Amino acid sequence: MSEKQSEPAKGPAPRGAADSLHLSANKLRWGLLIGALGAVIAAMVTMVVTGFESDTGLEAHQPGSAPVVRDKEFSSTNEGDCLSWTKTDRSDLVKVNCADKHLFEVAGVVDLSAYPGREFSGGTRHPDSLRMTELRDEHCVPAVQRYLGGRFDPRGRYMVNVMSPSPAGWQHGDRTLRCGLQVAASSTSPAATGSIASQDQSKVHATGTCLGINQNLPTDPVDCAQPHAVEIVGTVDLATNFTGGPPSEADQDKFVEAECNRLSSDYLGSPDAIRNKTLTLFFDYLEPTSWLAGSHKLDCWLGKGADREGFAPIVGSARGEILIDGQAPVPPPNTGRSTPAPLPGAAPLPPQPKPR
């Protein structure tokens, strides 16, 4: 995934957006990638340890007794089932209709009791978070690919994860894992509606959404009155212009840049609004793996590059009054000329971590 940046089509380059951006396009785009991957990694942590955040208040199993209700729900789930919960420890986990809002879709079941050796035999301790991560990568990534017929977008809206029995369930012999998919996020898990197998996996947001900011990088959607990194001014569907195999990066750039400029002007009500607010328009690039998985849409982001790396915090929607780093933007002087603004350029993306 590689982010692009585009200046407004008219007027001189805004101060603080291109000319005084004290970071290379390389670093900014890599920073955006790290932000996206960071959101996925942070979301993984929420369920990778045990599937239940803690054993506080969990009902202990008595020898020979039936499992508690929540473990019955967990241990009876199969491929294609959808799960939801409301409590932070997931002790109220239930199966729901996938057409309804849910937090996890099961893509496969792994029985660790069939694992060779004594690692998961009776009386052994629950695997730690590092081992669970290894098991997720070893078993769940292939399970998800099989479940989706090879059409999983590793840089899309969803992430692979794993759930394991509660501590009480593990203590009493349950060694099954549930591999599955959930919406990628950096804090609470957003709900999905409908089976992911039939969903467009493009990582896009509704127009007008603002993405929060943490360490100068985008996070989850927040109210635009809160500090945020970028605001979504529109979504481009590349499938309206490209058919067949994955379009080249250069062809994508040309089409998406024109569409994002058009959408931003429509969203803000003026082609000069970006310049007057000293903001920059950013857009992404779809890699072949995403395209072949069926992800064909990209967001157009409006933000401000920080003097450091990443983004400066913005408060307020770009449709109204905004503060950038606590200050109202000062429009650059208008020379009266109408000349295209120079683009910052699209440097090659640095080597990316590959999903295992």
Side-chain angles (χ1 to χ4, degrees):
M1 182 162 54
S2 55
E3 276 70 12
K4 312 291 181 184
Q5 24 183 344
S6 166
E7 298 298 333
K10 296 177 67 177
R15 289 183 297 184
D19 292 344
S20 63
L21 202 63
H22 301 306
L23 69 165
S24 66
N26 238 42
K27 288 193 175 241
L28 182 55
R29 293 163 65 201
W30 184 235
L32 295 179
L33 174 64
I34 292 173
L37 293 179
V40 173
I41 293 169
M44 289 176 181
V45 174
T46 62
M47 288 202 303
V48 78
V49 179
T50 64
F52 300 90
E53 288 184 353
S54 74
D55 57 358
T56 303
L58 291 180
E59 179 181 339
H61 291 237
Q62 298 298 323
S65 67
V68 292
V69 171
R70 63 178 163 273
D71 280 342
K72 280 185 177 178
E73 287 288 283
F74 174 79
S75 60
S76 66
T77 57
N78 292 301
E79 178 181 319
D81 287 337
C82 290
L83 308 175
S84 193
W85 56 87
T86 60
K87 296 182 180 180
T88 56
D89 66 356
R90 302 178 197 71
S91 58
D92 61 343
L93 181 145
V94 293
K95 285 187 286 187
V96 298
N97 191 315
C98 289
D100 299 327
K101 289 184 177 180
H102 57 272
L103 300 176
F104 191 84
E105 182 171 343
V106 180
V109 178
V110 177
D111 185 359
L112 294 178
S113 66
Y115 211 89
R118 296 181 50 81
E119 182 180 6
F120 306 114
S121 60
T124 56
R125 298 184 62 181
H126 190 285
D128 61 19
S129 59
L130 178 60
R131 184 65 176 119
M132 286 299 299
T133 300
E134 293 173 343
L135 291 169
R136 180 202 65 212
D137 293 344
E138 180 181 350
H139 296 287
C140 294
V141 172
V144 164
Q145 288 287 6
R146 288 193 299 270
Y147 181 65
L148 296 179
R151 295 173 63 85
F152 173 64
D153 181 357
R155 294 181 175 86
R157 182 171 180 239
Y158 304 100
M159 54 166 284
V160 178
N161 218 333
V162 62
M163 293 188 74
S164 68
S166 69
W170 183 273
Q171 179 185 353
H172 288 268
D174 189 349
R175 295 294 186 269
T176 56
L177 305 178
R178 265 64 187 174
C179 297
L181 292 144
Q182 66 182 115
V183 177
S186 59
S187 54
T188 56
S189 301
T193 304
S195 172
I196 293 170
S198 61
Q199 298 284 325
D200 184 331
Q201 297 177 43
S202 302
K203 192 173 179 62
V204 294
H205 304 81
T207 298
T209 300
C210 288
L211 302 183
I213 187 166
N214 184 18
Q215 297 183 348
N216 301 332
L217 295 174
T219 58
D220 300 336
V222 298
D223 190 297
C224 291
Q226 301 297 317
H228 56 272
V230 295
E231 183 172 350
I232 310 302
V233 299
T235 299
V236 179
D237 186 351
L238 278 76
T240 62
N241 191 67
F242 301 102
T243 58
S248 70
E249 184 172 351
D251 288 343
Q252 287 188 50
D253 287 353
K254 183 178 179 181
F255 175 67
V256 177
E257 180 188 339
E259 287 297 291
C260 283
N261 273 298
R262 178 183 65 80
L263 290 168
S264 66
S265 295
D266 291 345
Y267 181 76
L268 299 175
S270 166
D272 298 322
I274 295 179
R275 170 184 178 274
N276 292 337
K277 294 177 185 293
T278 70
L279 297 172
T280 302
L281 194 59
F282 300 89
F283 55 93
D284 201 351
Y285 156 68
L286 284 172
E287 295 188 346
T289 51
S290 297
W291 182 269
L292 295 174
S295 297
H296 297 156
K297 298 177 182 177
L298 293 172
D299 277 337
C300 304
W301 293 6
L302 200 59
K304 175 79 170 184
D307 287 339
R308 305 170 297 279
E309 292 187 357
F311 294 93
I314 300 173
V315 174
S317 170
R319 282 177 155 175
E321 299 298 322
I322 63 172
L323 296 176
I324 302 174
D325 254 336
Q327 302 293 321
V330 178
N334 192 337
T335 64
R337 293 179 299 172
S338 180
T339 56
L343 292 176
L349 186 69
Q352 302 179 47
K354 296 184 181 298
R356 292 187 290 173

